[in-house]
């Protein structure tokens, strides 16, 4: 048996068969084929959603194809159910891919499988062809040997890595390989790097622009001892076979580009375009840093869902981070689908390393919720509550009509209420409408209304109730409040009143505050007239009775 057959004992497809199985895509010249390649580690970084959306946005706009590829060659990091978790997260944020991994272990598209662990024979076939051409070789160095080598390199202050004279198995006689195979020593396959570290190559990235990078001389591992490829090999083979035109990925891969270009060339594949995206950053004290999975809850996609930011608000916010032009576009096209926005590489270039800003997200989110009908708010809030707040879901179901009425307050039109930024923040605004969830003591009310004596307060409230007619329209209701303010100005604003008793306009806001406090327990509330309408005369009277 030849050495190559011993390295690859299982039957493998031929490279020619593979080329036939993955034919060129028949697409227009400017159509972009893009892919996002999350690893199923059980954690979905906001950057994965960000990159996925960028990939899908370009593909849609250019009539191309977007692909969701599961990069699960690192079995040690894999977590059960993590693929479903990734698919759900993209779904939740309405990022759909044309091809790729789907639920129930099915795939969509003709260029699959779309899970790298199901493509083992494909990678092996290409690795085998590299070995046959002398462009790759087996390496039997053990972990201990490699560590010792690294220590020695460090001690001598030289660049660490498996290159040049340190590449111990690069030119070993075949007899050594046979002996190692006979001894059953595990091996990896390394790429025979053709580069010279002293020489620079010029590479043009669609975002980072033209850059000079040192050529790669490290004999990178391309096939691990478990028979699965490393990222470097897998991405090159997949991106070629899947017809990917634009490799859009995080810029942590930028320094590996020289290796990747060598692999594309060695395999005889056309090089795709590369676009390396700057990561989302945050301020930490006075310095900027990448969002960190360990330190920042906002690094996780699930965090936004838990807090209940509407998914389209998160997406609009991410689009503002991707491309500074998005905000102007959104202001001009408030109702358009964000998929219609023409994202550009130039935009991505100018957004470099955008800072995450919760205030901005909150303001976008408030606008989004303000634009929803009360039925939509009800449905979406209930959807969120069903997963995250059973008590709220129960209240919403048992008191559906009243909750819908509450949610209708100040909804619709240009002055729609903008105080809701996330579903998790709404409950307190519903709760005070229900007697069993409302708890205001006379003392607290009196403290909040300390500009009135208890007597004055009682008199004012009584007078209001005497004239209150729930069938009044909002203007009549307001007129009555105003009249009351005028009449009691002395009590409400003694200084203002004394200054100019004849011209005193009436402290309507002070009168309103009395009822706002008694009805809601707060100094701020949505439109008080609507609050009273939703509560109805009995509940209004019950709450006012606190002061008698
Ligand atoms: N699996 C890689 C990662 O999670 C994907 C990189 C790529 O998009 O090529 O970083």
């Amino acid at each position: 048996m030849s050495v190559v057959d011993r390295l690859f004992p299982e039957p493998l497809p031929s490279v020619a068969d593979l080329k036939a199985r993955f034919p060129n895509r028949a697409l227009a010249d400017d159509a972009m084929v893009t892919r996002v390649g999350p690893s199923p580690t059980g954690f979905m970084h906001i950057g994965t959603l960000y990159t996925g959306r960028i990939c899908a946005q370009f593909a849609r706009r250019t009539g191309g194809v977007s692909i969701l590829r599961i990069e699960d060659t690192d079995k040690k990091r894999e977590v059960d159910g993590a693929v479903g978790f990734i698919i759900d997260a993209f779904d939740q944020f309405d990022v759909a891919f044309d091809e790729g991994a789907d639920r129930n272990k099915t795939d969509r598209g003709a260029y699959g499988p779309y899970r790298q662990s199901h493509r083992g024979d494909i990678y092996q076939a290409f690795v085998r062809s590299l070995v046959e051409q002398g462009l790759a070789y087996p390496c039997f160095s053990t972990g201990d040997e490699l560590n010792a080598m690294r220590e020695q390199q460090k001690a001598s202050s030289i660049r660490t890595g498996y290159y040049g004279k340190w590449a111990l198995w690069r030119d070993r006689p075949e007899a050594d390989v046979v002996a190692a195979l006979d001894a059953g020593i595990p091996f990896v396959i390394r790429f025979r790097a053709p580069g010279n570290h002293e020489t620079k190559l010029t590479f043009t990235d669609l975002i980072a622009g033209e850059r000079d990078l040192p050529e790669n001389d490290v004999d990178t591992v391309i096939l691990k001892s478990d028979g699965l490829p490393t990222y470097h090999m897998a991405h090159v083979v997949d991106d070629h076979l899947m017809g990917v035109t634009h490799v859009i990925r995080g810029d942590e891969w930028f320094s590996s580009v020289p290796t990747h270009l060598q692999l594309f060339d060695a395999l005889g594949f056309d090089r795709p375009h590369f676009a390396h995206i700057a990561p989302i950053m945050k301020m930490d004290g006075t310095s900027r840093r990448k969002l960190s999975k360990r330190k920042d809850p906002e690094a996780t996609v699930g965090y936004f869902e838990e807090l209940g930011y509407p998914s389209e608000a998160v997406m609009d916010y991410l689009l503002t981070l991707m491309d500074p032009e998005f905000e102007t576009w959104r202001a001009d096209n408030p109702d358009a689908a964000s998929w219609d926005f023409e994202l550009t590489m130039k935009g991505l270039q100018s957004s470099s390393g955008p800072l995450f800003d919760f205030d901005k997200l909150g303001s976008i989110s408030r606008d989004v919720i303000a634009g929803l009908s009360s039925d939509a708010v009800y449905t979406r809030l209930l959807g969120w509550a069903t997963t995250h707040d059973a008590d709220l879901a129960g209240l919403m179901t048992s008191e559906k009509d009243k909750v819908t009425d509450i949610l209708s307050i100040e909804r619709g039109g240009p002055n729609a209420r903008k105080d809701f930024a996330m579903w998790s923040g709404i409950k307190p605004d519903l709760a005070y409408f229900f007697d069993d969830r409302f708890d205001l003591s006379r003392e607290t009310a009196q403290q909040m209304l300390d500009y009135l004596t208890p007597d004055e307060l009682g008199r004012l409230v009584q007078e209001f109730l005497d004239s209150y007619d729930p069938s009044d329209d909002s203007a009549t209701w307001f007129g009555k409040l105003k009249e009351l303010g005028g009449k009691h100005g002395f009590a409400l604003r003694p200084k203002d009143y004394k200054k100019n008793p004849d011209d005193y306009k009436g402290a309507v806001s002070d009168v309103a505050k009395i009822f706002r406090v008694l009805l809601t327990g707060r100094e701020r509330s949505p439109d008080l007239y609507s609050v009273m309408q939703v509560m109805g005369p009995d509940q209004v009277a019950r709450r006012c009775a606190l002061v008698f």
Side-chain angles (χ1 to χ4, degrees), residues 64 152 202 300 340 356 398 415 430 484:
Q152 206 183 328
T202 303
T300 321
D340 295 341
F356 197 92
S398 59
N415 296 323
L430 300 180
L484 210 58

Side-chain angles (χ1 to χ4, degrees), residues 35-39 69 71 231 235 247-250 252-253:
R35 86 296 185 279
V36 64
S39 299
R69 184 168 75 213
E71 306 213 329
Y231 167 75
H235 111 77
V247 172
I248 302 173
R249 62 184 176 188
E252 67 273 23
W253 295 109

Side-chain angles (χ1 to χ4, degrees), residues 369 372-382 407 411 423:
I369 296 181
L372 297 175
S373 69
S374 42
D375 282 349
V377 174
Y378 180 88
T379 310
R380 294 186 59 177
L381 179 60
L382 181 58
L407 295 173
R411 193 146 291 286
W423 307 128

Side-chain angles (χ1 to χ4, degrees), residues 39-41 70-80 83 105 115-119 224 226-229:
S39 299
T41 57
I70 301 297
E71 306 213 329
D72 56 350
T73 55
D74 189 349
K75 289 294 169 195
K76 286 194 290 294
R77 287 173 65 213
E78 191 165 337
V79 168
D80 270 357
V83 174
K105 301 208 186 300
R115 291 162 206 247
Q116 289 184 330
S117 62
H118 296 191
R119 296 168 71 86
K224 297 178 293 179
D226 63 3
L228 284 171

Side-chain angles (χ1 to χ4, degrees), residues 23-40:
N24 288 343
R25 292 176 185 271
L27 290 170
D29 282 351
D30 55 356
M32 290 169 71
V33 180
T34 59
R35 86 296 185 279
V36 64
S39 299

Side-chain angles (χ1 to χ4, degrees), residues 4-18 21 119-132 189 223 227:
V4 178
D5 283 341
R6 291 189 67 186
L7 294 172
F8 300 92
E10 301 298 328
L12 293 174
S14 73
V15 166
D17 286 349
L18 289 171
R21 203 169 118 195
R119 296 168 71 86
D121 59 339
I122 300 176
Y123 307 117
Q124 289 203 11
F126 284 102
V127 175
R128 180 181 168 125
S129 88
L130 289 178
V131 174
E132 280 167 349
I189 304 285
L223 196 71

